[in-house]
Amino acid sequence: MKIPTDQSEDPDQERLDELGRKIEAARGPTTKSTPAQSGSIRIAYRLASELLAGLLVGVLLGWGFDNLFETRPWGILFFLILGLAAAMTNVIRTAQRLNAAVPDTKDDKNDD
C-alpha cells in the first residue's frame, strides 16, 4: 500500500477541499455585525448585569439577615428593595457615563 507523500496525491484531501468550497459557496456572503451593533449589545448586557447583581446581592444579604436574626421575610423584603434601589442607581449612573462618552452628532448651527 502506497502512503501519499504530499496533499496533491491524497484523493481524500482533494474531496475534502472540494466539499469545503461547495459549503462556502452554499453559505454565500457572510454578514458580520457592525461595531455599532456589537457595542449596543455589550452595553445592554452591562446594564442588565448591573441590575441583576444589585438584586442578587440584596436578596443574599436579606436571606443572611433573616437567618441570623430569624426575622423572615422582612430581611429579604427590605434588602430586596435596598438592592433594587442600588441597582437602579448603578444602571442610571452607568448609562449617564456611557451617554457622556458618545460624541454629540447634532449640528450646532441649527440651534440659532
Side-chain angles (χ1 to χ4, degrees), residues 14-85:
E14 289 175 10
R15 288 178 54 207
L16 283 175
D17 291 340
E18 182 182 345
L19 180 61
R21 286 189 296 274
K22 286 181 182 179
I23 291 172
E24 289 299 320
R27 283 186 184 159
T30 58
T31 58
K32 295 184 179 179
S33 64
T34 63
Q37 290 172 337
S38 62
S40 299
I41 292 171
R42 181 177 47 88
I43 290 169
Y45 278 129
R46 181 175 176 183
L47 295 177
S49 65
E50 294 263 355
L51 186 63
L52 186 63
L55 289 173
L56 187 63
V57 167
V59 168
L60 289 176
L61 284 174
W63 179 76
F65 187 82
D66 280 342
N67 282 338
L68 187 62
F69 296 110
E70 297 177 6
T71 58
R72 280 188 192 98
W74 301 111
I76 284 183
L77 289 174
F78 175 74
F79 282 103
L80 177 67
I81 292 169
L82 192 65
L84 179 63

Side-chain angles (χ1 to χ4, degrees), residues 4 6-15:
D6 69 5
Q7 292 181 347
S8 63
E9 294 179 15
D10 188 4
D12 291 334
Q13 185 63 38
E14 289 175 10
R15 288 178 54 207

Side-chain angles (χ1 to χ4, degrees), residues 5 86 104 106 111:
T5 55
D104 191 16
K106 289 190 322 184
D111 290 342

